[in-house]
Amino acid sequence: DSGVTQTPKHLITATGQRVTLRCSPRSGDLSVYWYQQSLDQGLQFLIQYYNGEERAKGNILERFSAQQFPDLHSELNLSSLELGDSALYFCASSTHSGGARTDTQYFGPGTRLTVL
Amino acid sequence: DAKTTQPPSMDCAEGRAANLPCNHSTISGNEYVYWYRQIHSQGPQYIIHGLKNNETNEMASLIITEDRKSSTLILPHATLRDTAVYYCIVRAPNTGNQFYFGTGTSLTVIP
């Protein structure tokens, strides 16, 4: 158990809909990261938040957005869903922002999103 | 981040040591080598990381060559539960900390 929790475990929805995935980081961690893993793309970094502020952006679509709240939990919002958005979505957390020191990420169990 | 190259798949007999290689020939001086594994569709699990010296923890050992262009993850006594995809990741600390996962090595431990 990494200490990172994600809800829900599974989500089934229809094209065009909007969903919200939730992540709670390990106690004391200030950074939250979101990754997408689809069958043909592997694990792709989407976005990082550090202490409530966006820190880094990866291959995140404009239809997707995220935020980190004062209690440090994070939500990933996916809108206008398409069939190709079906994937595993993982959240990870780390103590620091990256910056001048290396920082181990600990991953949650993931949310499996199925778009029909 | 330096690019990494790993063999796509490997087999290992149960109880034997599993040695997983990774090439990172473009690594720079301040880049760390991280190893994670992913069992089926679970979240990636942190194994070990290092910069220059060899590292050992309760899960594995990490051997980094002197020129730092390659490394080997060693699982000393592989069990069936070690069957997973193993990812070698190289990143610099001043890059916002996002990890770039390649395709990894699919390790199968055979009874």
Side-chain angles (χ1 to χ4, degrees):
Chain A
D1 183 2
S2 67
V4 178
T5 60
Q6 291 187 246
T7 56
K9 271 190 171 178
H10 302 277
L11 201 46
I12 301 174
T13 188
T15 54
Q17 295 299 304
R18 173 190 169 94
V19 297
T20 297
L21 313 183
R22 182 188 169 107
C23 169
S24 292
R26 294 186 321 155
S27 177
D29 282 358
L30 298 178
S31 270
V32 169
Y33 312 77
W34 287 97
Y35 292 82
Q36 179 192 54
Q37 186 174 33
S38 52
L39 277 174
D40 58 347
Q41 293 282 350
L43 272 154
Q44 300 278 319
F45 167 73
L46 295 178
I47 197 165
Q48 175 195 0
Y49 276 81
Y50 173 73
N51 204 20
E53 301 287 328
E54 183 184 302
R55 178 74 170 84
K57 237 176 184 177
N59 301 318
I60 188 165
L61 299 172
E62 284 194 14
R63 300 183 285 108
F64 295 1
S65 65
Q67 53 184 327
Q68 187 180 27
F69 295 86
D71 67 353
L72 300 176
H73 90 272
S74 177
E75 293 180 357
L76 179 67
N77 301 296
L78 315 176
S79 61
S80 304
L81 284 167
E82 302 175 358
L83 296 177
D85 298 327
S86 294
L88 279 164
Y89 291 85
F90 291 105
C91 163
S93 74
S94 71
T95 308
H96 307 290
S97 66
R101 67 174 82 185
T102 190
D103 202 15
T104 300
Q105 293 180 33
Y106 296 91
F107 284 76
T111 293
R112 181 178 292 278
L113 173 67
T114 303
V115 182
L116 301 176
Chain B
D1 289 348
K3 192 174 177 179
T4 61
T5 305
Q6 298 178 253
S9 64
M10 290 181 64
D11 292 338
C12 177
E14 188 178 17
R16 305 297 282 265
N19 297 286
L20 293 96
C22 179
N23 285 325
H24 30 79
S25 57
T26 59
I27 195 170
S28 62
N30 65 347
E31 288 188 305
Y32 283 77
V33 180
Y34 276 83
W35 283 84
Y36 281 75
R37 72 180 182 185
Q38 187 175 26
I39 297 171
H40 194 47
S41 295
Q42 297 177 22
Q45 179 187 22
Y46 166 75
I47 302 174
I48 200 167
H49 75 280
L51 182 62
K52 293 181 188 176
N53 302 318
N54 299 338
E55 302 287 345
T56 295
N57 63 20
E58 65 279 1
M59 286 183 69
S61 295
L62 174 61
I63 309 296
I64 303 173
T65 58
E66 197 168 335
D67 63 6
R68 303 207 328 115
K69 293 183 185 300
S70 66
S71 61
T72 300
L73 178 74
I74 301 172
L75 308 178
H77 306 286
T79 71
L80 299 179
R81 283 181 289 187
D82 292 322
T83 293
V85 178
Y86 287 77
Y87 296 97
C88 168
I89 300 162
V90 177
R91 62 164 298 277
N94 286 314
T95 59
N97 211 45
Q98 62 267 32
F99 285 164
Y100 293 93
F101 287 80
T103 51
T105 296
S106 178
L107 175 70
T108 301
V109 180
I110 301 167

